[in-house]
Amino acid sequence: ALAFAERGASVIVNDLGADTKGGGKSSAAADKVVEEIRAKGGKAVANYDSVEDGEKLIQTALDAFGRIGVILRDRSFARTSDLDWDLIQRVHLRGSFLVTRAAWNHMKNQKFGRIIMTASAAGIYGNFGQANYSAAKLGLLGLANTLAIEGRKYNIHCNTIAPVAGSRLTETVMPPDLVASLKPEYVAPLVLWLGHEQCQENGGLFEVLKLSLYLRWERTQGYIVRQKNQSMKPESIRDHWEKICDFTDATKPANIQESLQSMVSVLSQVESQGDVGVNPAAAAASAAVGQKLPPTTFSFNHTQCILYALGVGMSTKDPDHLRFLYEGHPDFSCLPTFGVIPSQAAMMDGGLSSVPGLNIDFTQVLHGEQYLELYKPLPTSEIVLPAVNTYSGNELVCYNQFSVFVVGAGGFGGKRSSEKAKPPVPPPKRSPDAVVIDSTTRDQAALYRLSGDWNPLHIDPSFAAMGGFKAPILHGLCSFGFAARHVLKQFADNDPSRFKAIKVRFVKPVMPGQSLQTEMWKEGNRVHIQCKVKETDAVVLAGAYVDLHRASGASPENLSQGGGLQSELVFAEIGRRIKDVGSELVKKVNAVFGWEITKDGKKAAQWTIDLKSGSGSLHKGPYSGKVDVTMTVSDEDFMEVVQGKLNPQKAFFSGKLKVRGNIMLSQKLEVILKDYAKL
């Protein structure tokens, strides 16, 4: 309202004056804004009617200013899940309809109007516990899109915004720093432009924070599963589901006409086809020997990398996992074992079944062994061409070797093994150097299959029963991913560039919900691993190992750990203070802080301040426990902050200080640092 008035608009400020829970009524909120506008020489009138009295609201504008130009519908009540369905629909959806209907004919007669509906990310994407609110907000988008079509010839344009801003409704759910940084002033410029007569945008949907983002619908090319003169079966949908959902070369229909046009085009293709015959599978089994699969294209981005990490058990509960789960993390990386996904897609998406002589019953397929070798860290988004070798463009990224057993099949002749196969290696005959226990969830297989392994054995109870299992089993490659990331964290500080290769033999299946126990033996650059089900002590991965590249530069094993760093003096002083009054600090703080100090852009030292357990402690180097919040900062900037020359919040917002984990806990650091400005 202030921004419109500043640009010369006459403004009706409508606010029922309800509290944040939707109750009560007051003129104070609207009056305050009107007074601000008038104090600056602008024109404004207050209105306190409910949006359900849309005619009264519009009449106020006509009486005061003689015309109506722009309608901006904003949220009126708190987004709490206990509000009943009808109330939310009445305020958000019906209220917008009534106000707009009251203004519509006036806009038509004057041949000008600009309508901005306020939707929400909850309506676009959905949000847990907000079914009524989400439905109303997405309903607003449908209303706005239709108004854009109907109003076009009258120069009435209708667009939708989904803003995020700090306000009295969001200050209770957002940290104060975030509320302060998401000012309504950052939303207003987009609204002003959409309301301007020169703006010809119509039917748009915009998300807006500090930046404005245009959203549009996208549709896959799909797959024709119906043939002329043949019935259409759900099995055809199932078998081609990945192609149906493939957004490669996606189209972007802008209206219902474009949507229907492509449908009609497909229909005509089907009708013009002759009867489709079925080719008999008459090739002999020996024809499969020596066959090569044709190159195929596999594209992925950070979404698939994150989905895979979640599928193999990574969680935001562990701060060390965030680099694999958050695309905005400064060290965002793809888990090395994601390398199996492109090649598996090439093999399973019609690959193996297309080989002459391999008439495979997939209920009898068992994944026997897997070998993966990386030649470089995997990118977090790329288009790759997988066979057994996987390329990023022309550059070889990784090599996969699958050993697959089909129960009851055979007849190929020759030896039962191959010289080319990477052999499993038994672990040393001594106690393991490290053991990690990790729980899978009941939905682990359902989540992992979203990375591309659509075998029904892992989701369909009836299909699993045909294979002789009491229930769907966990993917072997999911256990493979669990074990690999255990090694990566235990012996490589979660650095994907140190991962070279992994070999495993799949021994027994794991049921979703069971716990995996990974036992590890380090010998040089090779880490031998054996994985068991903790509840049954059954070995599920055997003869396995991970080969690592040697640590170099500033990697964890060769950290300078403070050599020549000014910050070492600060941590030494903090260590002395913890020894003196650690118990008192533990009571006040109750958190574990991790510090990563960099020098010339590389990690140079690592410290952990434990003010949660015992009487507190200071650790130098890698830390095996859980850290609540981790801060990354250069040695120079750290000293600037400690000496009070650099404000920590400014350092954070300028990117000099990076924080991951529970950011609010960082406020408690003042208890530790404030006394050490002068060392």
Side-chain angles (χ1 to χ4, degrees):
L2 295 172
F4 268 108
E6 187 176 288
R7 294 299 180 113
S10 300
V11 183
I12 298 294
V13 180
N14 166 252
D15 195 319
L16 186 65
D19 60 30
T20 56
K21 294 183 178 179
K25 185 174 182 179
S26 169
S27 63
D31 289 343
K32 181 182 177 183
V33 177
V34 169
E35 288 169 9
E36 283 188 57
I37 292 173
R38 289 176 175 174
K40 295 180 180 179
K43 297 178 181 179
V45 173
N47 175 274
Y48 321 114
D49 294 311
S50 167
V51 290
E52 290 190 277
D53 296 322
E55 292 283 354
K56 292 181 181 179
L57 196 160
I58 297 302
Q59 192 60 47
T60 301
L62 295 172
D63 292 343
F65 306 121
R67 70 192 299 268
I68 185 79
V70 180
I71 303 174
L72 170 64
R73 274 295 303 120
D74 206 347
R75 51 190 175 271
S76 300
F77 285 24
R79 306 169 185 179
T80 49
S81 60
D82 56 349
L83 290 176
D84 65 277
W85 179 274
D86 288 340
L87 178 60
I88 290 293
Q89 302 299 316
R90 278 166 46 202
V91 172
H92 293 284
L93 187 53
R94 190 166 186 269
S96 298
F97 156 69
L98 290 171
V99 174
T100 306
R101 186 179 67 176
W104 190 256
N105 285 333
H106 299 287
M107 289 181 165
K108 281 176 62 177
N109 293 335
Q110 67 191 23
K111 294 289 191 290
F112 174 80
R114 295 291 183 266
I115 303 168
I116 299 109
M117 298 289 187
T118 302
S120 165
I124 301 169
Y125 307 109
N127 194 27
F128 182 86
Q130 291 188 308
N132 49 2
Y133 181 77
S134 299
K137 286 302 189 181
L138 190 58
L140 276 175
L141 177 60
L143 173 63
N145 288 344
T146 297
L147 293 179
I149 296 169
E150 294 186 9
R152 186 181 296 122
K153 62 181 178 181
Y154 304 109
N155 192 28
I156 302 174
H157 295 171
C158 187
N159 293 284
T160 306
I161 63 169
V164 176
S167 72
R168 66 191 181 111
L169 295 183
T170 56
E171 66 185 4
T172 59
V173 295
M174 288 182 178
D177 291 347
L178 191 57
V179 171
S181 66
L182 295 176
K183 296 180 180 179
E185 287 92 324
Y186 300 137
V187 178
L190 172 66
V191 179
L192 260 65
W193 172 240
L194 293 175
H196 199 276
E197 60 184 9
Q198 292 180 7
C199 180
Q200 296 304 302
E201 186 63 44
N202 192 23
L205 170 61
F206 300 86
E207 284 188 293
V208 53
L209 296 90
K210 281 190 177 181
L211 70 166
S212 300
L213 306 167
Y214 193 113
L215 274 70
R216 62 185 179 188
W217 298 108
E218 197 173 49
R219 186 166 67 185
T220 69
Q221 292 285 349
Y223 187 83
I224 301 175
V225 294
R226 184 172 77 83
Q227 306 297 338
K228 185 179 180 181
N229 299 330
Q230 290 191 3
S231 61
M232 185 171 166
K233 298 179 180 179
E235 286 80 3
S236 298
I237 300 290
R238 177 198 68 196
D239 295 341
H240 299 96
W241 188 249
E242 190 168 355
K243 291 180 179 177
I244 292 170
C245 299
D246 184 2
F247 275 86
T248 303
D249 300 322
T251 61
K252 302 171 181 66
N255 51 53
I256 195 168
Q257 290 79 16
E258 290 183 15
S259 173
L260 290 174
Q261 185 178 6
S262 62
M263 298 289 189
V264 172
S265 175
V266 169
L267 185 62
S268 63
Q269 289 180 43
V270 173
E271 292 301 318
S272 64
Q273 291 174 347
D275 292 345
V276 180
V278 180
N279 295 323
S286 59
V289 177
Q291 289 285 337
K292 290 186 177 181
L293 301 179
T296 59
T297 299
F298 180 89
S299 60
F300 67 95
N301 58 27
H302 65 273
T303 303
Q304 284 75 30
C305 297
I306 295 170
L307 197 59
Y308 175 81
L310 290 169
V312 296
M314 301 206 93
S315 168
T316 54
K317 293 179 181 178
D318 190 332
D320 290 341
H321 292 182
L322 203 58
R323 68 177 294 178
F324 301 105
L325 297 175
Y326 173 41
E327 71 284 357
H329 192 282
D331 297 319
F332 179 58
S333 304
C334 187
L335 272 175
T337 47
F338 181 80
V340 302
I341 299 299
S343 54
Q344 186 180 33
M347 291 181 63
M348 303 308 292
D349 188 15
L352 285 179
S353 60
S354 68
V355 176
L358 278 186
N359 298 315
I360 294 177
D361 176 1
F362 279 93
T363 66
Q364 300 299 307
V365 170
L366 297 176
H367 196 161
E369 298 179 9
Q370 182 73 30
Y371 176 78
L372 165 67
E373 184 172 353
L374 266 63
Y375 301 105
K376 58 173 291 186
L378 293 171
T380 54
S381 62
E382 193 54 81
I383 297 177
V384 296
L385 302 173
V388 171
N389 290 319
T390 299
Y391 295 85
S392 173
N394 294 321
E395 189 173 9
L396 184 60
V397 175
C398 64
Y399 164 76
N400 271 276
Q401 186 180 86
F402 293 77
S403 298
V404 180
F405 302 99
V406 183
V407 178
F412 289 90
K415 294 184 290 185
R416 295 179 61 86
S417 60
S418 168
E419 294 84 1
K420 296 181 181 179
K422 298 285 183 179
V425 180
K429 294 182 178 180
R430 56 182 171 84
S431 298
D433 299 320
V435 178
V436 173
I437 299 173
D438 213 345
S439 297
T440 67
T441 69
R442 286 290 301 273
D443 297 319
Q444 201 74 56
L447 179 58
Y448 181 84
R449 69 192 299 269
L450 299 182
S451 290
D453 189 337
W454 302 105
N455 190 338
L457 178 66
H458 306 293
I459 192 73
D460 185 344
S462 59
F463 196 92
M466 287 190 288
F469 299 101
K470 294 181 180 179
I473 62 175
L474 190 63
H475 307 69
L477 284 177
C478 184
S479 306
F480 167 93
F482 266 76
R485 65 177 181 77
H486 292 162
V487 173
L488 196 66
K489 179 174 182 177
Q490 193 71 31
F491 295 105
D493 197 35
N494 273 337
D495 182 359
S497 67
R498 293 196 56 206
F499 191 97
K500 180 183 180 183
I502 179 173
K503 168 70 181 184
V504 305
R505 169 174 284 172
F506 303 107
V507 182
K508 287 186 177 181
V510 178
M511 306 307 294
Q514 291 182 321
S515 299
L516 291 171
Q517 178 174 307
T518 304
E519 300 169 343
M520 295 165 270
W521 296 261
K522 191 174 189 303
E523 295 200 330
N525 290 325
R526 174 165 288 183
V527 179
H528 297 269
I529 51 178
Q530 178 174 269
C531 206
K532 297 178 179 178
V533 171
K534 185 179 185 298
E535 291 81 357
T536 64
D537 206 39
V539 175
V540 293
L541 301 181
Y545 61 84
V546 172
D547 287 337
L548 300 172
H549 293 294
R550 288 183 180 275
S552 60
S555 60
E557 290 185 8
N558 290 319
L559 283 174
S560 63
Q561 286 307 333
L565 299 177
Q566 299 178 70
S567 55
E568 188 169 10
L569 297 171
V570 180
F571 286 105
E573 180 63 28
I574 289 172
R576 283 191 289 272
R577 173 57 65 94
I578 290 174
K579 287 182 180 179
D580 294 338
V581 292
S583 298
E584 181 182 336
L585 289 174
V586 168
K587 290 179 182 178
K588 287 183 179 179
V589 179
N590 191 33
V592 179
F593 301 91
W595 285 91
E596 293 174 351
I597 305 298
T598 65
K599 188 78 172 177
D600 299 325
K602 297 180 179 179
K603 190 193 296 184
Q606 190 172 337
W607 299 87
T608 304
I609 304 172
D610 183 353
L611 294 179
K612 181 180 281 188
S613 55
S615 56
S617 57
L618 176 70
H619 301 269
K620 187 177 182 181
Y623 182 70
S624 57
K626 182 182 178 183
V627 177
D628 295 305
V629 58
T630 301
M631 278 146 286
T632 303
V633 64
S634 72
D635 186 56
E636 296 81 3
D637 290 333
F638 177 86
M639 295 304 297
E640 292 281 297
V641 169
V642 170
Q643 296 176 64
K645 297 178 180 178
L646 176 62
N647 181 284
Q649 289 188 336
K650 288 183 178 179
F652 173 72
F653 284 112
S654 65
K656 292 182 177 180
L657 173 66
K658 296 181 174 63
V659 184
R660 59 183 189 271
N662 188 343
I663 190 171
M664 301 307 293
L665 287 174
S666 59
Q667 297 178 7
K668 294 187 176 183
L669 281 172
E670 186 180 359
V671 176
I672 309 168
L673 297 178
K674 67 178 181 180
D675 295 331
Y676 308 125
K678 299 176 181 178
L679 296 176

